[in-house]
Amino acid sequence: MNANIILSMAGGLGLFLFGMRVMSDSIEKVAGAKLRRILEIFTTNRFSGMVVGVVFTAIIQSSSACTAMVVSFVNAGLMNLYQAAGVIFGANIGTTVTSQLVSFNLSAYAPVFLLAGVLVAMFCKHEKVKKFADIIIGFGILFLGLSTMSSSMAGMKEEPQVVNLIGSLHNPVMATLMGLVLTTVIQSSSVTVSIVLLLANQDLLSLSIALYIILGCNIGACTTALLASLSGKKDAKRAALIHFWFNVIGTVVLYAILFLAEGPVMKLIWSVSSDNGRFVANAHTMIKIFQVIILFPFSGWIVKLSCLCVPGEDEKVNYRESYQLKYIGDKVVFNPATAVVEVIKELDRMASLASENLTRAMNALITLDEEDIREVYEVEKNINFLNHAITDYLVKINQTTLPIEDLKSLGALFHVVNDIERIGDHAENVADAARQRRETGLTISREAQRELGELLDMVIRLIRYSIDMFARSDESHMQDVIALEDSVDIKEKEMQRAHVERLTKGECTPEAGMMFSDIASGLERVADHATNIAFAVIAAERDVEDA
């Protein structure tokens, strides 16, 4: 074969893959956070999940990306397997949009898309508009690659060896295996089907064999999700297997239909097609829709089959578990679109530990229970571990292609993890005071104990409201947080005045008075840290809206 044809084909394929990657990544950056929220809200049942899967995959142009995101959602506990099944079924239909676009042969407009995208990217300063320009650039590169591949394939028609080699492919099983292997290597069924479409357009590939290659592509497309699930929990592996079994069972059914009635099937597809390229694109779409129609009623069985393949339950990480991450880290499926959600869940867990530890420390201050004091120090070590681990993870994900909205909230998350760690430090300070009381016999008056208890109740309520606001982006407690923070400030000042009066009357020793004053000031600072947590991410979200 002519070396120029090979180089031209390789270059065109490289441009096509790069364009697809740029377009998909840019769409995820621009709309990833919004699409994630749609996935969370509208996947309450399998049917709505399927519709969302179709739309989601049609937008981001990658069923692999959609399925990988679903796997990470299941891994994080944001979606159950039955909801995931609906989205995965829909993703299989949505992925056919790429081949439909390719079949309309928009290659002639590729230079226009490229020029428009580059001009906007060069001269526009607005971040979101620049990302939209990246989408247009990716679209242009994709079709430039298609044009290059199409031209090189036209040259292949003059090469007898190539024509004979491709023309000798008559075995359906070999065609299916070829589609499977190509898609596994390229990691995109859309790209493989597009290549098949171009070959068919140049009359280099028979249309009946193209059908079997498409079936192989469908199975090969499962590779990305299966690989993504390897480091995940059992439910993440099951979600990937739902995708796999859907395509395998669907392929077996279609094999039987094509074996019995290949002629009528070909006629049906031709009835809605105007040329070979449209035939391949329509075949891809019709195959996927047919698979969903026949398998959707049995989606529950497919979920059960995936559970049979991956039996048992994961070892659960309790929110109190020491020196272990529950939602992020090396043992969890990583996906840029869900990374920030998982960090927030881990921070929610860390905040609960810090709040609980503060209450334990205050109890120990009064009861002088040695076991409680030791427990405060142990939990504080765990909080410090989480602080370092979460901070390291935030640094890591900051270097990935996060959605724009998530990227802008990273700064707030760094502040939140620091505020939670400071709350933990204050609990340790109280435990130090409890140990000092135990060793020296210092007494705290009943009036002082009552005041500290009242202040602690206010602070704990403030922390609880703040965690709700932060973890669920729920602004319904905003006024409660503001009012409580003001009340804590007033209460702390009143306590300090009452403390001075007790000192003046000789009702309290200077050492005990200093301890009381330090603890009251510490609780007031805890309230400040809790207020910071409440408003950190909400402020970041408003910055995103204003951007």
Side-chain angles (χ1 to χ4, degrees):
M1 190 192 299
N2 192 311
N4 289 333
I5 293 176
I6 295 174
L7 290 173
S8 178
M9 182 71 185
L13 178 59
L15 285 171
F16 185 88
L17 289 170
F18 180 67
M20 179 77 78
R21 178 67 177 269
V22 169
M23 189 170 65
S24 181
D25 285 353
S26 300
I27 291 170
E28 282 197 59
K29 284 180 185 177
V30 171
K34 290 184 175 66
L35 291 171
R36 182 184 66 225
R37 283 195 286 274
I38 290 170
L39 267 179
E40 288 181 75
I41 296 168
F42 295 105
T43 55
T44 51
N45 62 66
R46 277 174 282 178
F47 182 77
S48 63
M50 184 187 71
V51 174
V52 169
V54 173
V55 175
F56 188 98
T57 308
I59 291 172
I60 66 172
Q61 295 286 293
S62 174
S63 63
S64 298
C66 179
T67 308
M69 188 181 292
V70 168
V71 167
S72 65
F73 262 59
V74 171
N75 193 80
L78 299 172
M79 185 183 289
N80 64 43
L81 287 173
Y82 291 93
Q83 293 168 326
V87 179
I88 290 167
F89 281 29
N92 277 277
I93 296 176
T95 192
T96 65
V97 170
T98 306
S99 56
Q100 290 290 344
L101 286 172
V102 170
S103 70
F104 286 115
N105 194 14
L106 301 174
S107 301
Y109 303 101
V112 178
F113 285 115
L114 270 173
L115 179 62
V118 169
L119 288 175
V120 172
M122 285 177 64
F123 297 109
C124 181
K125 302 298 181 187
H126 196 284
E127 188 67 26
K128 271 196 175 179
V129 177
K130 289 178 77 171
K131 293 303 175 188
F132 274 114
D134 288 343
I135 295 171
I136 297 169
I137 290 170
F139 197 72
I141 293 172
L142 186 152
F143 279 99
L144 189 63
L146 276 175
S147 177
T148 306
M149 280 197 293
S150 184
S151 299
S152 63
M153 285 179 186
M156 286 181 184
K157 293 171 71 175
E158 309 301 323
E159 301 287 337
Q161 307 97 313
V162 177
V163 175
N164 292 334
L165 177 64
I166 298 175
S168 65
L169 188 61
H170 297 298
N171 189 315
V173 175
M174 289 302 298
T176 304
L177 285 173
M178 187 175 81
L180 191 157
V181 171
L182 278 174
T183 307
T184 300
V185 172
I186 297 172
Q187 294 281 291
S188 172
S189 61
S190 300
V191 174
T192 314
V193 173
S194 298
I195 294 171
V196 171
L197 187 152
L198 293 177
L199 287 168
N201 253 344
Q202 298 295 337
D203 294 320
L204 289 167
L205 188 68
S206 74
L207 295 179
S208 61
I209 287 299
L211 292 179
Y212 291 102
I213 295 176
I214 290 171
L215 293 177
C217 293
N218 294 340
I219 299 174
C222 304
T223 308
T224 304
L226 289 169
L227 290 174
S229 71
L230 289 177
S231 62
K233 299 174 184 174
K234 290 183 184 292
D235 271 353
K237 294 180 174 71
R238 290 164 186 152
L241 281 171
I242 290 169
H243 189 209
F244 174 75
W245 284 120
F246 168 84
N247 283 290
V248 169
I249 296 169
T251 297
V252 170
V253 171
L254 278 161
Y255 247 86
I257 291 172
L258 288 174
F259 180 76
L260 297 171
E262 184 178 305
V265 170
M266 297 279 288
K267 284 182 182 178
L268 175 64
I269 300 171
W270 261 120
S271 68
V272 292
S273 308
S274 55
D275 56 42
N276 286 2
R278 296 290 304 139
F279 178 94
V280 172
N282 290 336
H284 191 203
T285 303
M286 291 169 76
I287 284 171
K288 287 297 188 182
I289 292 173
F290 175 75
Q291 286 178 333
V292 169
I293 289 172
I294 63 166
L295 292 177
F296 189 80
F298 304 102
S299 56
W301 290 12
I302 294 175
V303 171
K304 289 176 182 176
L305 177 60
S306 72
C307 291
L308 285 173
C309 294
V310 184
E313 296 295 330
D314 287 297
E315 183 181 341
K316 296 203 179 287
V317 177
N318 189 280
Y319 90 97
R320 294 179 182 154
E321 200 78 45
S322 296
Y323 313 114
Q324 284 194 52
L325 293 164
K326 184 173 182 179
Y327 302 102
I328 62 175
D330 296 334
K331 295 182 180 179
V332 177
V333 176
F334 173 76
N335 188 290
T338 57
V340 166
V341 175
E342 288 154 0
V343 168
I344 289 172
K345 287 172 75 72
E346 199 74 69
L347 285 170
D348 185 8
R349 172 179 170 237
M350 180 182 172
S352 296
L353 280 171
S355 174
E356 187 182 84
N357 213 34
L358 181 63
T359 301
R360 182 184 294 110
M362 289 297 292
N363 288 337
L365 180 70
I366 306 304
T367 64
L368 302 182
D369 188 307
E370 181 63 28
E371 184 62 33
D372 273 349
I373 295 171
R374 279 200 301 269
E375 182 71 9
V376 170
Y377 290 127
E378 282 304 312
V379 173
E380 173 57 17
K381 289 177 185 176
N382 191 25
I383 291 170
N384 288 337
F385 162 78
L386 291 173
N387 172 39
H388 293 301
I390 294 171
T391 301
D392 290 345
Y393 189 78
L394 286 171
V395 171
K396 173 187 169 185
I397 66 174
N398 192 32
Q399 298 164 357
T400 64
T401 55
L402 291 174
I404 292 172
E405 291 182 32
D406 289 347
L407 197 59
K408 291 190 175 181
S409 70
L410 274 188
L413 294 175
F414 277 108
H415 289 300
V416 168
V417 72
N418 184 61
D419 281 312
I420 296 172
E421 196 273 335
R422 292 296 298 131
I423 291 173
D425 288 344
H426 284 295
E428 188 176 37
N429 292 341
V430 175
D432 290 341
R435 180 153 284 176
Q436 183 185 347
R437 271 200 70 206
R438 185 180 172 88
E439 291 172 353
T440 62
L442 277 176
T443 59
I444 297 177
S445 68
R446 290 196 174 276
E447 183 64 20
Q449 289 181 25
R450 182 186 62 78
E451 289 175 350
L452 286 173
E454 289 173 355
L455 184 60
L456 176 66
D457 287 342
M458 295 166 69
V459 170
I460 293 300
R461 265 193 296 146
L462 178 52
I463 293 173
R464 188 170 66 249
Y465 287 147
S466 298
I467 292 172
D468 280 345
M469 284 183 67
F470 163 71
R472 283 162 273 288
S473 296
D474 179 9
E475 297 188 33
S476 62
H477 291 306
M478 183 182 290
Q479 294 307 316
D480 294 320
V481 168
I482 293 170
L484 269 171
E485 207 272 336
D486 289 340
S487 298
V488 166
D489 288 345
I490 294 168
K491 178 71 174 176
E492 191 263 342
K493 287 174 183 173
E494 289 175 351
M495 288 169 62
Q496 297 289 8
R497 282 196 295 270
H499 153 63
V500 171
E501 288 178 12
R502 284 194 295 272
L503 274 176
T504 304
K505 293 177 182 178
E507 296 173 359
C508 177
T509 64
E511 292 82 3
M514 187 177 297
M515 180 182 291
F516 173 87
S517 179
D518 287 345
I519 292 170
S521 298
L523 288 174
E524 190 274 331
R525 284 195 288 274
V526 168
D528 290 339
H529 289 300
T531 305
N532 292 342
I533 292 168
F535 290 100
V537 171
I538 289 173
E541 287 175 354
R542 287 178 179 168
D543 289 343
V544 171
E545 289 170 6
D546 295 338

